[in-house]
Amino acid sequence: MPSPGRQRRRALKLLAASAEGCTEAIMLAHGFTSAMLVQLVQAELATATAERMRTGKRTIEVIRMKITDAGRQALGERR
């Protein structure tokens, strides 16, 4: 099992790779825990925003996560 620091870095890399961010469901599918995602937001390395999506006739609410400038700095990236 990867260390918490390695997991955090892997999560930030995934978020950085997507201009639109990733949904919480995608992050969970990649093996990240809800607790770890909350830690990223609390550390201001990522943001989490609720949004509504239409799927056919249904509207669902999803949480979209995006990397912040501080998260990019933690990865050693510049914007």
Side-chain angles (χ1 to χ4, degrees):
M1 180 173 217
S3 69
R6 189 178 263 172
Q7 281 285 81
R8 176 185 276 199
R9 185 165 181 78
R10 193 169 71 86
L12 290 174
K13 281 184 175 184
L14 181 60
L15 292 173
S18 176
E20 296 299 315
C22 297
T23 63
E24 178 185 30
I26 294 291
M27 298 299 286
L28 295 173
H30 278 272
F32 303 110
T33 64
S34 293
M36 200 265 259
L37 300 178
V38 168
Q39 289 171 0
L40 289 176
V41 172
Q42 289 175 337
E44 299 182 354
L45 299 174
T47 60
T49 307
E51 50 183 67
R52 294 179 191 267
M53 296 181 80
R54 190 156 178 93
T55 59
K57 294 181 180 181
R58 292 183 18 201
T59 300
I60 60 171
E61 189 169 288
V62 298
I63 305 298
R64 180 164 310 276
M65 297 193 68
K66 293 184 180 181
I67 192 167
T68 62
D69 287 339
R72 289 186 189 284
Q73 286 178 347
L75 284 177
E77 294 183 1
R78 287 211 168 104
R79 209 164 189 208

